[in-house]
Amino acid sequence: GENVEQHPSTLSVQEGDSAVIKCTYSDSASNYFPWYKQELGKGPQLIIDIRSNVGEKKDQRIAVTLNKTAKHFSLHITETQPEDSAVYFCAASPMNTGFQKLVFGTGTRLLVSP
Amino acid sequence: EAGVAQSPRYKIIEKRQSVAFWCNPISGHATLYWYQQILGQGPKLLIQFQNNGVVDDSQLPKDRFSAERLKGVDSTLKIQPAKLEDSAVYLCASSNQRLPGQGAGNEQYFGPGTRLTVT
């Protein structure tokens, strides 16, 4: 089955710096790659996603890139702010009997210091 | 629109007791998921429903866990009897996917979760 690895496990940056989180996946049939932000005591919140027919997607300060050949994808956050501090999860979606199923990475704790 | 609702938010039980969690998905969402999130890990899928039918329960410990979605709307996840290693956050999510192979991805929206502590 699908396996998703995520690095780094923790990331500390200064406000205004950029942050990059990287994930690799194993199943070449996976075709959907969302990123979630989870704040303490809350459920994961979808922040951006990318489909396998696209190499890059950007939404304001957040961007995601996908390299299907190498089977890895990355989250880029520019001009980080203290409110970006949270745990970020990547996920990959192999189609499960035709229905989407998410396999999550182990998470990256991002700390943005003022 | 209202998000995914879950209750209770917190539950503390002793091992060998039973517990049930409730989830109400976003209105109109046909697909419902239950995930287990152990501290420090990513969510792990336990069971996936399409309307009131089970699509995937391959990672559900069926000797102690059960789930139902009788009317294709809200859902209940039960653990009986609980073990210490069941301590985790149980997350419910829903999506709008209705047909097999529909689109390359359908956004999943998560509820706040139920934090279970088994002592």
Side-chain angles (χ1 to χ4, degrees):
Chain A
E2 175 64 279
N3 182 54
V4 178
E5 295 189 356
Q6 183 172 348
H7 301 281
S9 57
T10 59
L11 180 59
S12 294
V13 300
Q14 292 292 121
E15 182 177 1
D17 288 349
S18 296
V20 180
I21 302 171
K22 298 181 179 181
C23 291
T24 60
Y25 62 99
S26 61
D27 188 345
S28 57
S30 289
N31 56 10
Y32 174 63
F33 307 91
W35 286 88
Y36 285 85
K37 175 184 181 182
Q38 188 172 28
E39 297 176 318
L40 195 62
K42 297 184 178 180
Q45 177 189 9
L46 179 69
I47 56 172
I48 195 168
D49 57 14
I50 191 167
R51 290 165 170 75
S52 58
N53 58 347
V54 175
E56 184 174 358
K57 183 177 179 180
K58 188 174 182 179
D59 183 3
Q60 299 183 337
R61 297 185 297 109
I62 295 174
V64 58
T65 58
L66 171 65
N67 183 327
K68 288 174 54 181
T69 302
K71 289 191 279 189
H72 64 70
F73 56 113
S74 300
L75 177 71
H76 304 254
I77 306 174
T78 58
E79 300 173 26
T80 54
Q81 302 168 2
E83 51 265 39
D84 294 330
S85 297
V87 179
Y88 291 80
F89 291 97
C90 62
S93 177
M95 292 300 283
N96 178 40
T97 64
F99 289 97
Q100 179 207 334
K101 165 182 174 177
L102 291 182
V103 177
F104 283 84
T106 50
T108 296
R109 182 173 299 278
L110 175 64
L111 177 61
V112 181
S113 301
Chain B
E1 65 181 1
V4 177
Q6 290 189 247
S7 68
R9 292 296 315 278
Y10 306 92
K11 190 74 176 179
I12 301 174
I13 62 172
E14 296 181 352
K15 59 184 178 182
R16 291 187 290 273
Q17 287 187 325
S18 62
V19 63
F21 313 126
W22 174 83
C23 172
N24 188 258
I26 292 173
S27 178
H29 278 193
T31 310
L32 185 148
Y33 312 80
W34 283 103
Y35 289 86
Q36 181 191 58
Q37 186 176 24
I38 293 172
L39 186 65
Q41 300 182 17
K44 184 186 82 171
L45 180 68
L46 292 176
I47 188 167
Q48 178 178 349
F49 291 95
Q50 179 68 16
N51 296 309
N52 61 351
V54 175
V55 173
D56 183 357
D57 63 356
S58 58
Q59 298 192 86
L60 187 73
K62 298 181 188 61
D63 57 333
R64 299 184 300 105
F65 286 63
S66 64
E68 59 184 16
R69 193 186 184 198
L70 293 176
K71 297 183 179 179
V73 180
D74 55 353
S75 176
T76 303
L77 176 70
K78 297 180 181 178
I79 307 175
Q80 181 181 9
K83 293 185 175 181
L84 295 177
E85 58 261 35
D86 298 332
S87 294
V89 175
Y90 291 84
L91 295 162
C92 179
S94 69
S95 77
N96 201 26
Q97 186 176 11
R98 296 185 175 276
L99 298 173
Q102 176 188 5
N106 288 276
E107 295 82 357
Q108 290 189 23
Y109 297 92
F110 283 81
T114 297
R115 180 175 297 277
L116 174 66
T117 301
V118 182
T119 63

